[in-house]
Amino acid sequence: MDQKILSLAAEKTADRLQKFLQTLKEDDLANLLQNQAVKGKAAGALLRAIFKGFPCSEEAGALRRLKIYSCCVQLLESGDLQKEVASEIIGLLMLEVHNFPGTLLVELANEFVDAIKEGNLTNGKSLELLPIIFTALATKKEDLAYGKGELNGEECKKKQLINTLCSGRWDHQYVIQLTSMFKDVPLTAEEMEIVVEKVLTMFSKLNLQEIPPLVYQLLVLSSKGSRKRVLEGIIAFFNKLDKQHSEEQSGDELLDFVTVPSGELRHVEGTIILHIVFAIKLDCELGRELLKLLKAGQQGDFSSNICPFSIALFLSITRIQRYEEQVFDLLKSLVIKSFKDLQLLQASKFLQNLVPHRCCVSTMILEVVKNSVHSWDHITQGLVELGFILMDSYGPKKILDGKTIEASSGLSRMPNQHACKLGANILLETFKIHEMIRQEILEQVLNRVVTRGSSPITHFIDLLSNIIMYSPLVLQSCSSKVTETFDYLSFLPLQTVQGLLKAVQPLLKVSLSIRDSLILVLRKAMFASQLDARKSAVAGFLLLLKNFKVLGSLSSSQCSQSIGISQVHVDVHSRYNSVANETFCLEIMDSLRRCLGQQADVRLMLYEGFYDVLRRNSQLANSIMQTLLSQDCLLCCIQHCLAWYKSRVMPLQQEEEEEEEEGFYQDLDDMLESITSRMIKSELEDFELDKSSDFSQSTGIGIKNNICASLVMGVCEVLIEYNFSISNFSKNKFEEVLSLFMCYKELSDILNEKAGKGKTKMANKTNDSFLSMKFVSDLLTALFRDSTQSHEESLSVLRSSNEFMRYAVSVALQKVQQLKEMGHVSGPDGQNPEKVFQNLCDITRVLLWRYTSIPTSVEESGKKEKGKNISLLCLEGLQKIFSAVQQFYQPKIHQFLRALDATDEEEEADVSVTQRAAFQIRQFQRSLLNILSSQEEDFNSKEALLLVTVLSNLSKLLEPSSTQFVQMLSWTTKICKENSWEDASFCKGLMNLLFSLHVLCKSPVTLLRDLSQDIHGHIGDIDQDVEVEKTNHFAMVNLRTAAPTVCLLLLSQAEKVLEEVDWLITKLKGQVSQEIIPEEASSQATLPNHPIEKAIIIQLGTLLTFFHELVQTALPSGSCVDTLLKDLCKMYTILTALVRYYLQVCQHSRGIPKNMEKLVKLSGSHLTPLCYSFISYIQNKNIKSLKHTGEKKKEKTAAGPTAMARALRETKPIPNLIFAIEQYEKFLIHLSKRSKVNLMQHIKLSTSRDFKIKGNILDMVLQEDEDEDEEGTASEHEGQNKEPAKKKRKK
């Protein structure tokens, strides 16, 4: 039969073939086809013949053809056919699809859809036909519509079929095939959305390994549209998966079953990122959509778009050149915005209650670095670049007088520091994980250290130090780069050289070649022409001496600094032994001896360094002492005494070594004794110094005398310390100490007197004390706390001199100030944070006891002396110390507070920081209450202000949710309400404390409103005829403090509130712009914003009443008026922003809340009209002042321009305010139209503010100028104009 069909098909006409086929039953024909196909015998030719015999022009033929088609589909699904046969049949079936009429095509498609939904497919081979059927359906529409104009429903039919297909269940093994199938189907935008949503929902139902090919097909499909949704879906899916994974890992450790192994998930994510990057290279539009997602995340709520997976994706596309710059800029601004948001949230309880805490971008980026260990090589380059971009952009910027200054203002300093630290962390962690990138990171860091000598590079040196500490042995491979850097040492600033050498020090222990090349460079530098280069050489050699231990030296626990763990670890593997180290160190000592003939600066550096070397490498003591003795036996240069001072560790060394080499020490002791006795006997004239000497900095003799004076004072200090330390509480020694101090004081008084007379401060004012911090600590403890009976008599010698005790406290203050400014102190152990902290604790304990035991008032009631009160100095010291500890020792605050509590026992170790801080706060509160309860003439303003500053510092240590914090706030509020001292600085300090506490509990807007009413009551109204009722909420606000002190403080707080509100509005706008929601769901979808909207409106409403009070207040000209006008301008700008937000909301068919209508009404009735009155008041005031200046013009001609300039400056913000008001009203009109609510009914539109020449005022001024006698005419003109008339009215 098959042969007959084939032979009939070979004829030119198909008539006989058609007749023959009609005689056959459908089942027989189907069986025949099936048998031929299974056997693989000419199935294609037979199928072609059958289709020829059933033309679609006849209805019956088309139906028979459909049956055969369905039969073939089942045959393909059966899996019985050979591959070649199946391919041939599919090819034929594809060709025949377009011949079917539309109705049969729909039927055929339905069969496929049903088979997919019911899961009847066995191998999915026939799915290759489905796109052809859908394509045919789409093209049929045009043909049929062109012919008859009625069957244009085929496109709708296609949409319906796609909808049905996507709403049904898909067997997970055909998901990829079905997705791939759609790329060949012409789809409308709506159909595309349906398909994409279906595929995205299938992600969670597939195995992890099946997702990359599916994503690939989805990305190919996205070229038809819905790119944004595809990217969002992929990012959201992996964000969810990452969160689940991290929860599982951080959850129950006993959990055996983990959904996805970590490595597998990361490898899949890496593959998908590569797929997306590849797709972006081919489709620019996809790249643009991805950048839009990043921008949207940066502007609004980034919780959905920004996650570790998406950050990794963004970093990957930086390899595409056209996106590189944009992505890094966006990531940089995303990081800094994230830190700024965090800072804003931490500083405001109001925002914390409204906005839930979200994951910081920095955590996400570091998560990406951690994940990149799983072969994410495509993002490592991006991570390195991002790290350096952050460090370059947000590192410290300028150097001024040797100190690093942050370029940014105080508020933005913290986010900048955090961003720079994040950059360093990214680079360090990437360095640890990725071996291939290490060389590049090290090179870039060293390049920056060498090339940026003029700008601060401490952050790069810290990073270099961390890298080397992590693995010195790994860096041996990069030794050439390090030795190359050494060649530039003599050209770098001293600070950079010290940092760099300290950082590379672990390398010197593991690499002989690096050490040798460094020594060569340092020896050359020793004879360089530049002073800094020679200093660098000394610094380098001293560092080597400190770190190459000689056998028999003290253990590291006894040293001033312990060596880092990793460095000790390296020592174990080191090829150098202690004997070799000794030879090495003695060679260096020889090199250093050559410095002793150089400039004073170089020698001074060497002497200061010897002390640290002794502490770290005690076996070198004899060599060092010999060097010092050989220099100082002639006593030709006084400052060599500093070297002996630095050597005061020698008695310890003698005891421990027990060797017969005491000659050097004895000689030094004898010399110090000799100098002590000679200094006591000497007069100032012996040094050619006295009251009549010239100390001016402009003459050579003056400069010489200054240097000489500072040297003599330095010698006195060194000898004071030496004699006290060897005194063993001997009365004679203490008398010598006091005599040395009198010599010091005599010279100090002369210098201070001369400095007071000169216009500029003398150089010696900034000279650092030569006393060590440890000695200052011991001296203060002996003076104020030593109650041992045997010491009583000798200490009474020192205690009898108030001036000596005052000097001891003032040196402690100087040391703390130095710590605050530079991060370290001068003198021995000044660079060792541990030792400095210990000394700080001891000093604080003594100062605290002295201040609380002997209050200032008690001390002052005794004899009056010239100079500051000691208790006041103690308080000043405490204020500086509390500030410094919070700045430099934040992690050790608990330890610090514990050290202050003398009664603290071991069992109290669990007492919290809040409780300890609260205990200290109570002591200072008592002191402040004592001052406030004193008589007005006894009120010590400086002490009160210092106490408030101390309380402010300590209150930062309280937990805002604790009862102690609440007590502190209520106590501060009570003080402000009940005390009315007319001291501006004290008032400002106390008010600042009140606000800083208040914002951590709730928003300060009600406080602002109450205080503004007090100010209005005290200063009076702009209309002199109006009598203002005095509210008196806070007694601290009085006529003296109301303006400018309190007024400016309130305005700065109002600015912060406005900034918070602005931040919230921006956040809401971002959320609205990201929402694409159907109309019926819009009211429910935006409900979560409701509490934030309500809070914004309440804040603005209360602020509005605050400004309502201030614009009616007769504020004095100057900063108050300027700031108020600027803040009013901000207020209107933010009201405009809120109106624009509601314009956006109205597009989503949501109305305006009632409280927003009330806010608009309040602004129209209580603020805008008063703003215009206030503007008129300022202008009238300026006219008055200008007239007043004109009258005095003859007396002082220069006053005119100054008054004019001031008037111009004060009126400058007025046009900005008027513009802001008019913008607000303009957008209100738009909102009224869009929301169908008449918001303008309570607002009187402002009058035209064009320039006008008011004839009456002009005449008045002209006539006054022409003829001063004709005042009658002028008064007539004044009568015609209301504004000038108002000026003349007096109460």
Side-chain angles (χ1 to χ4, degrees):
M1 193 194 300
D2 56 327
Q3 292 301 326
K4 188 172 182 182
I5 292 171
L6 288 171
S7 62
L8 288 171
E11 293 176 6
K12 286 185 180 178
T13 59
D15 298 342
R16 288 177 65 201
L17 177 63
Q18 286 173 14
K19 282 176 187 173
F20 176 72
L21 287 174
Q22 280 165 5
T23 61
L24 296 174
K25 290 181 181 176
E26 285 176 11
D27 292 344
D28 294 344
L29 203 53
N31 289 335
L32 174 67
L33 187 58
Q34 189 173 346
N35 292 334
Q36 292 293 332
V38 171
K39 288 175 189 171
K41 286 183 184 175
L46 181 62
L47 187 58
R48 204 178 286 112
I50 292 170
F51 281 141
K52 189 177 179 183
F54 292 134
C56 285
S57 51
E58 298 170 12
E59 193 177 341
L63 286 168
R64 291 287 296 271
R65 178 186 278 236
L66 180 63
K67 294 279 172 54
I68 294 296
Y69 206 99
S70 300
C71 173
C72 290
V73 169
Q74 286 164 13
L75 200 56
L76 286 168
E77 282 301 314
S78 67
D80 297 335
L81 304 184
Q82 293 169 16
K83 198 173 179 183
E84 294 80 11
V85 176
S87 297
E88 190 180 5
I89 289 175
I90 285 173
L92 280 169
L93 293 179
M94 284 179 173
L95 289 170
E96 291 300 327
V97 168
H98 289 278
N99 297 327
F100 278 107
T103 48
L104 294 183
L105 275 174
V106 171
E107 202 175 316
L108 192 58
N110 272 324
E111 281 182 27
F112 269 100
V113 170
D114 292 341
I116 293 165
K117 283 173 72 176
E118 289 161 18
N120 293 339
L121 299 176
T122 49
N123 66 4
K125 192 78 178 166
S126 62
L127 281 179
E128 290 180 36
L129 298 170
L130 195 53
I132 311 295
I133 295 169
F134 279 131
T135 309
L137 263 173
T139 51
K140 277 287 183 245
K141 169 199 165 184
E142 290 148 19
D143 295 342
L144 296 172
Y146 180 76
K148 298 182 183 175
E150 59 186 51
L151 280 176
N152 52 3
E154 299 299 341
E155 183 70 26
C156 298
K157 200 71 185 165
K158 183 187 76 161
K159 181 186 168 185
Q160 193 182 340
L161 279 165
I162 289 172
N163 217 337
T164 313
L165 176 61
C166 292
S167 61
R169 190 182 71 83
W170 288 7
D171 195 316
H172 69 87
Q173 62 180 324
Y174 301 124
V175 174
I176 296 167
Q177 216 170 339
L178 283 165
T179 310
S180 172
M181 177 267 295
F182 277 113
K183 72 173 184 281
D184 299 322
V185 179
L187 297 170
T188 62
E190 199 176 340
E191 290 164 356
M192 187 67 197
E193 278 178 33
I194 296 167
V195 173
V196 166
E197 287 301 330
K198 175 64 181 175
V199 176
L200 290 173
T201 55
M202 292 306 296
F203 274 18
S204 55
K205 294 168 186 171
L206 295 180
N207 292 331
L208 202 57
Q209 294 299 339
E210 292 175 310
I211 294 176
L214 176 59
V215 167
Y216 177 79
Q217 295 300 339
L218 190 57
L219 288 167
V220 173
L221 182 62
S222 73
S223 60
K224 293 172 175 283
S226 291
R227 293 176 180 84
K228 183 184 176 189
R229 185 68 198 101
V230 167
L231 290 169
E232 279 179 343
I234 295 169
I235 290 170
F237 173 72
F238 281 102
N239 186 16
K240 188 179 169 187
L241 212 57
D242 280 344
K243 282 179 182 170
Q244 282 175 357
H245 187 257
S246 58
E247 280 166 18
E248 282 169 2
Q249 283 191 321
S250 61
D252 191 355
E253 289 177 9
L254 300 171
L255 191 70
D256 295 328
F257 174 72
V258 175
T259 324
V260 182
S262 181
E264 188 186 345
L265 174 60
R266 302 296 167 227
H267 281 298
V268 166
E269 286 179 340
T271 310
I272 282 166
I273 288 170
L274 284 173
H275 281 329
I276 298 174
V277 172
F278 180 68
I280 287 172
K281 283 179 182 173
L282 300 175
D283 181 4
C284 298
E285 199 56 47
L286 193 66
R288 276 195 281 274
E289 284 299 337
L290 189 61
L291 286 180
K292 280 181 193 171
L293 281 185
L294 180 52
K295 282 177 191 167
Q298 184 194 329
Q299 287 160 6
D301 183 14
F302 58 68
S303 55
S304 54
N305 294 338
I306 308 295
C307 59
F309 175 79
S310 64
I311 289 172
L313 174 56
F314 295 133
L315 286 168
S316 289
I317 66 163
T318 56
R319 295 197 303 169
I320 305 170
Q321 196 178 356
R322 67 171 170 270
Y323 299 117
E324 184 181 9
E325 198 176 330
Q326 273 178 289
V327 172
F328 280 131
D329 283 349
L330 287 167
L331 282 174
K332 188 174 85 170
S333 49
L334 182 71
V335 166
I336 200 73
K337 184 179 183 293
S338 166
F339 283 126
K340 281 179 178 172
D341 289 355
L342 197 66
Q343 187 187 31
L344 205 61
L345 278 167
Q346 284 171 348
S348 166
K349 186 71 176 171
F350 165 69
L351 290 179
Q352 287 166 24
N353 292 338
L354 287 171
V355 182
H357 178 71
R358 60 190 181 194
C359 188
C360 186
V361 173
S362 59
T363 318
M364 294 180 191
I365 295 175
L366 291 173
E367 183 75 20
V368 171
V369 179
K370 196 174 81 179
N371 294 345
S372 69
V373 72
H374 301 282
S375 307
W376 286 12
D377 298 341
H378 44 89
I379 71 160
T380 47
Q381 194 60 47
L383 279 170
V384 171
E385 283 186 52
L386 179 65
F388 279 114
I389 285 169
L390 291 174
M391 288 188 81
D392 290 339
S393 305
Y394 300 115
K397 288 287 182 274
K398 296 176 188 167
I399 286 189
L400 191 65
D401 299 334
K403 285 186 286 187
T404 300
I405 306 286
E406 291 287 346
S408 50
S409 63
L411 268 176
S412 61
R413 190 176 299 162
M414 287 308 287
N416 282 6
Q417 285 173 349
H418 287 311
C420 178
K421 187 84 181 75
L422 172 64
N425 286 340
I426 291 170
L427 292 169
L428 179 61
E429 294 305 314
T430 308
F431 182 89
K432 288 178 182 179
I433 292 171
H434 297 283
E435 202 171 325
M436 61 173 186
I437 207 91
R438 283 175 182 170
Q439 180 97 16
E440 188 188 336
I441 293 176
L442 186 69
E443 276 187 27
Q444 290 212 41
V445 172
L446 289 171
N447 287 346
R448 281 165 169 78
V449 169
V450 170
T451 56
R452 298 189 182 180
S454 57
S455 55
I457 47 159
T458 47
H459 49 308
F460 286 114
I461 286 183
D462 291 343
L463 173 61
L464 180 64
S465 176
N466 290 334
I467 284 173
I468 293 172
M469 287 284 279
Y470 166 68
S471 180
L473 293 166
V474 166
L475 284 175
Q476 271 188 287
S477 58
C478 309
S479 59
S480 60
K481 188 66 196 170
V482 178
T483 51
E484 189 188 319
T485 309
F486 288 157
D487 294 339
Y488 300 99
L489 280 186
S490 51
F491 306 106
L492 295 176
L494 178 62
Q495 207 175 356
T496 303
V497 172
Q498 286 175 316
L500 178 61
L501 293 179
K502 205 170 183 181
V504 299
Q505 175 250 316
L507 281 181
L508 305 177
K509 297 190 171 187
V510 293
S511 171
L512 189 61
S513 62
I514 292 180
R515 194 187 78 177
D516 291 347
S517 63
L518 174 62
I519 289 172
L520 274 175
V521 168
L522 292 177
R523 279 181 177 157
K524 282 182 194 170
M526 189 74 85
F527 301 100
S529 55
Q530 303 92 345
L531 178 64
D532 265 7
R534 298 200 294 277
K535 280 187 176 181
S536 298
V538 172
F541 280 134
L542 286 170
L543 189 84
L544 291 171
L545 280 180
K546 271 195 286 187
N547 288 299
F548 283 84
K549 303 293 286 295
V550 177
L551 192 67
S553 288
L554 299 172
S555 66
S556 63
S557 61
Q558 292 167 278
C559 299
S560 62
Q561 281 174 306
S562 60
I563 300 175
I565 292 165
S566 65
Q567 296 172 26
V568 173
H569 172 73
V570 169
D571 270 345
V572 175
H573 302 288
S574 151
R575 66 183 97 154
Y576 313 125
N577 58 31
S578 297
V579 179
N581 281 352
E582 185 165 13
T583 315
F584 173 62
C585 290
L586 291 173
E587 274 180 38
I588 292 175
M589 283 297 297
D590 281 344
S591 297
L592 285 173
R593 284 192 184 103
R594 295 170 191 169
C595 298
L596 296 169
Q598 298 197 2
Q599 282 100 326
D601 280 359
V602 179
R603 291 200 303 270
L604 184 62
M605 193 173 173
L606 182 61
Y607 301 143
E608 286 179 345
F610 274 154
Y611 173 82
D612 276 342
V613 172
L614 274 178
R615 293 292 297 262
R616 292 289 293 274
N617 223 344
S618 52
Q619 282 293 318
L620 294 174
N622 294 324
S623 178
I624 289 173
M625 292 302 163
Q626 254 178 326
T627 306
L628 296 176
L629 187 59
S630 66
Q631 274 292 295
D632 293 310
C633 57
L634 299 173
L635 290 173
C636 58
C637 186
I638 297 170
Q639 83 243 44
H640 293 176
C641 297
L642 296 175
W644 304 326
Y645 152 66
K646 301 296 176 198
S647 317
R648 66 188 180 81
V649 76
M650 60 193 172
L652 291 173
Q653 306 290 333
Q654 273 182 293
E655 286 167 24
E656 287 175 11
E657 286 161 19
E658 296 177 357
E659 292 177 10
E660 295 180 10
E661 295 177 340
E662 296 179 10
F664 299 123
Y665 305 120
Q666 194 56 52
D667 288 350
L668 286 166
D669 269 339
D670 293 346
M671 282 180 197
L672 286 163
E673 289 293 341
S674 165
I675 293 177
T676 302
S677 59
R678 278 188 276 172
M679 284 299 291
I680 292 168
K681 291 172 189 169
S682 66
E683 299 290 331
L684 287 182
E685 286 76 10
D686 298 344
F687 303 106
E688 298 180 1
L689 298 171
D690 57 26
K691 286 188 179 180
S692 59
S693 300
D694 175 16
F695 287 100
S696 70
Q697 292 285 7
S698 53
T699 64
I701 296 169
I703 292 170
K704 171 186 163 288
N705 286 343
N706 265 307
I707 293 170
C708 191
S710 63
L711 288 174
V712 173
M713 287 163 73
V715 169
C716 290
E717 286 193 311
V718 169
L719 294 173
I720 286 170
E721 180 164 346
Y722 171 74
N723 283 290
F724 186 92
S725 58
I726 64 161
S727 67
N728 198 15
F729 292 92
S730 144
K731 189 176 179 184
N732 292 340
K733 280 288 174 194
F734 282 0
E735 282 170 351
E736 285 182 5
V737 166
L738 204 57
S739 303
L740 286 166
F741 170 68
M742 294 319 291
C743 174
Y744 171 90
K745 186 177 179 301
E746 194 179 348
L747 199 47
S748 171
D749 288 347
I750 291 172
L751 287 174
N752 288 341
E753 192 183 322
K754 296 279 182 184
K757 288 178 183 173
K759 286 184 181 176
T760 55
K761 289 193 172 183
M762 307 291 271
N764 67 285
K765 294 292 278 183
T766 56
N767 278 359
D768 293 332
S769 168
F770 287 126
L771 301 183
S772 68
M773 198 167 180
K774 177 78 175 78
F775 170 68
V776 173
S777 161
D778 294 344
L779 178 62
L780 287 173
T781 309
L783 286 174
F784 297 133
R785 296 302 310 268
D786 194 333
S787 53
T788 315
Q789 200 66 41
S790 56
H791 299 168
E792 192 70 38
E793 189 187 354
S794 53
L795 281 171
S796 63
V797 173
L798 297 179
R799 287 172 179 165
S800 64
S801 168
N802 257 0
E803 287 176 340
F804 182 72
M805 293 199 289
R806 189 180 298 121
Y807 159 74
V809 178
S810 61
V811 172
L813 250 75
Q814 191 195 76
K815 294 285 178 192
V816 178
Q817 185 62 30
Q818 201 176 42
L819 175 67
K820 278 183 73 177
E821 287 174 2
M822 302 171 72
H824 58 82
V825 293
S826 59
D829 291 332
Q831 302 272 0
N832 181 353
E834 285 297 323
K835 296 274 181 187
V836 172
F837 177 72
Q838 197 50 56
N839 293 332
L840 214 51
C841 291
D842 296 341
I843 290 170
T844 314
R845 200 163 44 236
V846 177
L847 295 185
L848 190 60
W849 179 88
R850 175 67 172 74
Y851 178 72
T852 49
S853 305
I854 309 172
T856 322
S857 51
V858 174
E859 195 178 328
E860 283 182 343
S861 61
K863 53 190 176 183
K864 293 273 179 183
E865 281 188 15
K866 192 180 173 186
K868 272 187 184 173
N869 176 309
I870 294 177
S871 286
L872 196 60
L873 276 174
C874 289
L875 181 59
E876 202 175 318
L878 289 168
Q879 183 263 314
K880 288 181 191 297
I881 289 169
F882 288 135
S883 170
V885 168
Q886 286 184 31
Q887 188 179 349
F888 296 105
Y889 296 102
Q890 191 70 35
K892 291 188 171 187
I893 278 178
H894 189 269
Q895 197 181 329
F896 173 73
L897 291 173
R898 197 173 163 196
L900 299 192
D901 195 353
T903 60
D904 197 12
E905 299 296 329
E906 283 301 314
E907 62 268 17
E908 289 184 46
D910 59 341
V911 179
S912 70
V913 170
T914 295
Q915 288 167 307
R916 290 184 191 281
F919 173 74
Q920 300 300 341
I921 283 171
R922 283 194 292 276
Q923 294 193 68
F924 291 108
Q925 283 176 337
R926 279 196 290 274
S927 302
L928 185 58
L929 287 172
N930 289 337
I931 292 173
L932 293 174
S933 59
S934 62
Q935 296 298 316
E936 194 162 340
E937 60 273 10
D938 296 333
F939 178 69
N940 188 332
S941 166
K942 181 156 190 191
E943 186 180 3
L945 183 58
L946 279 170
L947 279 167
V948 170
T949 316
V950 168
L951 287 169
S952 297
N953 283 330
L954 287 172
S955 67
K956 289 174 188 167
L957 305 178
L958 299 175
E959 181 59 44
S961 55
S962 63
T963 51
Q964 289 91 339
F965 186 89
V966 177
Q967 285 165 0
M968 177 73 188
L969 175 59
S970 55
W971 181 86
T972 311
T973 311
K974 188 171 180 248
I975 294 287
C976 290
K977 285 187 172 181
E978 294 175 4
N979 292 279
S980 63
W981 295 102
E982 292 187 348
D983 185 280
S985 56
F986 172 64
C987 173
K988 186 179 179 182
L990 200 58
M991 283 290 177
N992 268 323
L993 173 61
L994 176 64
F995 277 109
S996 67
L997 295 169
H998 205 284
V999 292
L1000 293 174
C1001 280
K1002 55 185 175 183
S1003 176
V1005 281
T1006 48
L1007 200 61
L1008 290 172
R1009 184 188 59 204
D1010 293 349
L1011 283 161
S1012 66
Q1013 288 170 357
D1014 289 352
I1015 290 174
H1016 191 187
H1018 281 290
I1019 298 178
D1021 201 89
I1022 52 176
D1023 185 347
Q1024 295 176 7
D1025 295 341
V1026 174
E1027 193 171 335
V1028 186
E1029 182 190 344
K1030 289 194 178 180
T1031 50
N1032 211 18
H1033 293 111
F1034 288 86
M1036 195 49 79
V1037 180
N1038 50 49
L1039 200 57
R1040 178 74 64 84
T1041 59
T1045 310
V1046 178
C1047 181
L1048 286 174
L1049 192 75
L1050 296 190
L1051 288 168
S1052 74
Q1053 290 296 328
E1055 273 184 53
K1056 287 177 188 171
V1057 176
L1058 286 170
E1059 191 184 329
E1060 288 173 9
V1061 171
D1062 190 28
W1063 184 80
L1064 283 173
I1065 293 172
T1066 310
K1067 187 177 166 60
L1068 288 183
K1069 280 183 177 175
Q1071 286 175 2
V1072 170
S1073 62
Q1074 284 174 37
E1075 281 171 4
I1076 302 170
I1077 41 183
E1079 287 187 13
E1080 64 274 9
S1082 62
S1083 55
Q1084 288 83 7
T1086 45
L1087 274 178
N1089 289 342
H1090 185 62
I1092 298 182
E1093 289 178 20
K1094 189 178 174 185
I1096 287 172
I1097 291 166
I1098 291 170
Q1099 290 290 89
L1100 289 175
T1102 321
L1103 268 185
L1104 211 140
T1105 55
F1106 159 76
F1107 283 120
H1108 166 75
E1109 292 292 338
L1110 285 189
V1111 289
Q1112 294 179 84
T1113 309
L1115 294 171
S1117 296
S1119 54
C1120 286
V1121 172
D1122 284 2
T1123 315
L1124 177 56
L1125 288 171
K1126 283 173 190 164
D1127 284 2
L1128 280 167
C1129 193
K1130 280 182 190 166
M1131 176 75 182
Y1132 277 104
T1133 308
I1134 284 162
L1135 280 169
T1136 309
L1138 185 63
V1139 170
R1140 294 177 77 167
Y1141 163 70
Y1142 277 113
L1143 277 169
Q1144 268 183 291
V1145 167
C1146 286
Q1147 287 179 330
H1148 290 72
S1149 71
R1150 232 187 86 200
I1152 301 172
K1154 288 286 178 194
N1155 49 6
M1156 177 62 187
E1157 292 179 38
K1158 286 178 186 171
L1159 179 69
V1160 172
K1161 180 181 175 181
L1162 195 66
S1163 70
S1165 59
H1166 278 61
L1167 192 58
T1168 309
L1170 295 173
C1171 282
Y1172 285 121
S1173 306
F1174 188 64
I1175 289 168
S1176 301
Y1177 162 75
I1178 296 163
Q1179 288 172 332
N1180 290 341
K1181 212 172 175 188
N1182 284 332
I1183 290 169
K1184 269 187 184 176
S1185 67
L1186 286 172
K1187 275 177 69 179
H1188 185 63
T1189 311
E1191 286 166 15
K1192 292 191 172 182
K1193 211 171 184 180
K1194 291 169 187 175
E1195 299 166 25
K1196 272 189 180 178
T1197 50
T1202 314
M1204 183 70 81
R1206 189 175 68 247
L1208 282 171
R1209 190 177 64 249
E1210 284 175 5
T1211 53
K1212 200 175 179 183
I1214 292 174
N1216 295 338
L1217 173 59
I1218 292 165
F1219 177 72
I1221 294 172
E1222 289 172 354
Q1223 283 292 100
Y1224 170 57
E1225 290 170 355
K1226 171 185 154 186
F1227 282 102
L1228 269 182
I1229 294 167
H1230 288 317
L1231 185 58
S1232 298
K1233 288 175 183 172
R1234 189 167 286 178
S1235 64
K1236 310 288 189 292
V1237 177
N1238 184 9
L1239 296 169
M1240 299 302 290
Q1241 60 182 336
H1242 304 290
I1243 290 181
K1244 182 188 171 188
L1245 277 176
S1246 50
T1247 52
S1248 171
R1249 305 292 302 185
D1250 294 342
F1251 290 106
K1252 292 179 183 174
I1253 296 174
K1254 293 187 176 178
N1256 46 7
I1257 295 178
L1258 185 65
D1259 291 348
M1260 172 187 79
V1261 175
L1262 288 171
Q1263 288 192 23
E1264 275 183 0
D1265 286 350
E1266 286 170 11
D1267 186 6
E1268 288 179 11
D1269 299 329
E1270 294 181 18
E1271 287 185 6
T1273 321
S1275 63
E1276 266 179 52
H1277 284 292
E1278 278 180 17
Q1280 291 169 16
N1281 183 284
K1282 287 182 182 176
E1283 287 183 1
K1286 190 175 174 182
K1287 286 193 297 175
K1288 289 208 159 189
R1289 250 190 301 162
K1290 286 181 185 174
K1291 197 175 170 184

